[in-house]
Each structure stands twice: as structure tokens, then as C-alpha cells.
Amino acid sequence: MEERIIDDEYGRGIRLRKTKDGYVDVTDEIAGEDEKETAVPGPDGVAEDGATQLTADGAENETEEDVVVGDLEESLEDLEAENDGEGEEVTFEFPELEEDDEDLVNLTPEEAIALRRKKEAEEAQRKADYKRLCGEGDELLLSGSFKAAELKFEKALALEENAWEAVVGYWRAKTSDFSRPDELMNEYLETGYDSLESDLGEDAVEAIKKQYREVFEARLAEVSEAEEELGKEVLAKQSKRRAILRQRISATRGKFIGTAVPTALFLILGIVFGYLITTRRDGLFLYLTIAAGVLFAVSFVAFGIFTNRFVNARRINRANEDLSSTEEGERLLELRAYKELYGHFVG
């Protein structure tokens, strides 16, 4: 590449280099390169003029600061690459505490071990007592001592959370081994099967269904037959009363309306005649007002009587539609409730 040296106005030599855009002053650039090549290294490996010391093969010697910065950048790059590769959420696992861990707070290891062993012994004793009471109750059931067996199973119920064996035994004793299954159903006639299953537990209910299915089927057949016979009788009587009550309602409604209209009319006439009393000196409107008042009083009494009869007829008719208003109807509802409960134990 062509270069020229010329003198400037101060007599200094200026080096020009020819490029495609013309001659360019490269005096300072070339001077800088010469200074780097001739720089004298200092005691720390850095040139005294601030330039980096060059090794024999032309490579730069890294300072301690450069090494630290480089290591830090590499660590950050590795961490970013690791995070990008995994992309998983950070999760923390906490140890599960046992129920009695709170009792171990502020205890020495020896005291904690002793307390835990005590609780384990109590738990084992409780289970043993539960099995013993259930076993004794079963023996009493076999001997026919239902009342004593009921007491045994009642004690066992308090010893186990899922004491379905004790529940079954308790109701076996209370119903004389389900020879009187209505004893169980009577407790849940109003609340229904869902309440029964909730109180006894699914395991106990399933065990009772499986063991006494034939008993429930026989009782369901009896209840269904009784419900059908009583239902026909109750509905026939209800229908007969309904026809009579409708006639009574119709008759009292006519009398109610027949007295309500003249009562309202005489009231209005009495008010109008009362305002017109002073318009005539012969007292015509006075007499008319008195007459309207008397007629209003008579019709109002009749209106009250027939209104009471009409209201009572409608009230009795509503009661007739409610089966629980009669003893026979209430018994019919009870049989239907029995039928529904027994149906769950059979179906």
C-alpha cells in the first residue's frame, strides 16, 4: 500500500497512506503501534505506559483482575445454561409430623421415647379391650342375653373410631337379633336412610344387609301389603270427604258473596246519605241514612257468619288433603316410611 511522508506547517513529518477514498493521515496510528512494541514491562507485568505486556509469542499476559472477571462470567454462563436446560420448579419437602409430635415438645429424648411407648401401650390395650368386649357381646348374643350384650357393645363403640363390628352387634342385641327390625327403622322414620347410613357407617350397613337380607325381604313384603290395604281405605274415605267438602265450599261461597255485596252497598249508601243530610230541611236524607245504617248492620252480621263458614270449609278441605290429619292417614305415612327404609336394605 502506497505511503508518503510530507512536512506540515510546523515542519513535522506526516505519514499519509493511500486508500480508495484518498490519502489518510496515519501518523498517530503508526506511532501507537510502535509504542506498544517498544513498551517496557513494569514489576507487575504491566507496561509502564499502561499498555498490556506482550509475551514472546505475541499473546497478552492476563492480570489477576482479568482472571477473576473471566471466571465469574463463565460461572454465570454455566448457571444460565443449567437453568435453561432444566426448566423445573423448585420444590421443598417437609417432614410429616405424627399426631403425638406436639406432645414431644420440650421433652428430652428419653422422655420422648417413654411417652411414645406409653401411647403405643395404651393403643394396644384399647384395641385388646375392643376385641374382648365384642367377643363377650357375641357370646351373650348366642346365649340370648340381648340386654347384657347391648351393654357390652355400647362400651365397645367408644373404643374404636370405625367400630362397625360393635355397631352391628349393638343393633343385633337391640332388635333381638333382628327379630324386631322395626326397632332400628323407628329411629330413622323421619330422617330417612341417609341419616341411618351416616350414623351406622357404610361397613356396618353392608354387613347388616348381607347377614339379614331375608329378614328385611319378609318384613318389606308385610309392610307393602299392609300399606296397600290401608292406602285403599284411607284414599276412599278421603275422596268421599273431598266431595262433601267441595259442595260445602260451593254453598258457603255463594252465601259469602250474597252477603258481602249488600253489606258494601248499604255502607256506601249510608255514607252518601250522611253527606246529604243538611241539603234538605224535611229530614229525608236523615231517615235514609238511618235506614241504610240499620240494613248495613244486619247484612254485616250475616256477612260475618257466612264468611266464617266459608273459611272453615276451605280449612277443612286443606286438612283433608293432608294424610297426617287423621290417625289412619298418619299410619299410612308411617308404613310408607317403613317401606322406603326396608327397600334400601333389600335393593
Side-chain angles (χ1 to χ4, degrees), residues 248-262:
R248 183 179 299 178
I249 290 174
S250 178
T252 55
R253 183 190 295 113
K255 295 178 180 179
F256 166 75
I257 297 174
T259 55
V261 172

Side-chain angles (χ1 to χ4, degrees), residues 124-263:
Q125 183 63 41
R126 183 182 59 79
K127 291 182 178 180
D129 291 341
Y130 174 77
K131 292 182 179 180
R132 177 180 57 81
L133 289 171
C134 288
E136 293 175 356
D138 289 334
E139 293 178 359
L140 291 171
L141 285 175
L142 293 176
S143 64
S145 301
F146 297 115
K147 188 61 179 177
E150 180 182 342
L151 296 176
K152 292 290 184 180
F153 286 116
E154 190 173 3
K155 292 180 180 179
L157 288 173
L159 298 178
E160 190 72 26
E161 183 176 355
N162 184 22
W164 68 269
E165 300 96 337
V167 172
V168 174
Y170 174 81
W171 283 107
R172 286 181 61 193
K174 197 171 183 64
T175 60
S176 300
D177 203 14
F178 281 94
S179 61
R180 295 179 289 108
D182 287 355
E183 290 288 338
L184 171 60
M185 303 306 170
N186 286 338
E187 299 289 334
Y188 300 96
L189 285 179
E190 296 182 0
T191 55
Y193 177 78
D194 290 339
S195 179
L196 182 150
E197 187 178 39
S198 176
D199 290 347
L200 272 64
E202 293 184 4
D203 295 336
V205 171
E206 291 300 324
I208 293 173
K209 286 181 180 180
K210 183 177 180 180
Q211 188 172 356
Y212 296 97
R213 183 182 181 86
E214 295 180 357
V215 174
F216 295 130
E217 288 178 347
R219 183 56 181 153
L220 177 61
E222 295 175 0
V223 171
S224 298
E225 183 179 356
E227 185 264 339
E228 184 178 358
E229 294 178 358
L230 183 60
K232 292 179 180 179
E233 181 181 351
V234 170
L235 294 178
K237 292 181 179 180
Q238 185 185 46
S239 178
K240 184 178 180 179
R241 290 194 301 268
R242 184 183 296 116
I244 296 174
L245 290 171
R246 285 181 177 177
Q247 292 178 358
R248 183 179 299 178
I249 290 174
S250 178
T252 55
R253 183 190 295 113
K255 295 178 180 179
F256 166 75
I257 297 174
T259 55
V261 172
T263 299

Side-chain angles (χ1 to χ4, degrees), residues 36-84:
K36 288 183 180 180
E37 293 177 356
T38 59
V40 179
D44 296 332
V46 180
E48 292 180 354
D49 59 353
T52 304
Q53 181 182 356
L54 299 177
T55 60
D57 57 357
E60 293 183 356
N61 284 335
E62 294 181 342
T63 64
E64 182 178 358
E65 181 180 356
D66 294 334
V67 174
V68 173
V69 173
D71 292 342
L72 180 59
E73 291 178 350
E74 291 179 0
S75 299
L76 292 175
E77 291 176 358
D78 294 340
L79 182 59
E80 291 178 358
E82 183 178 353
N83 290 336
D84 293 339

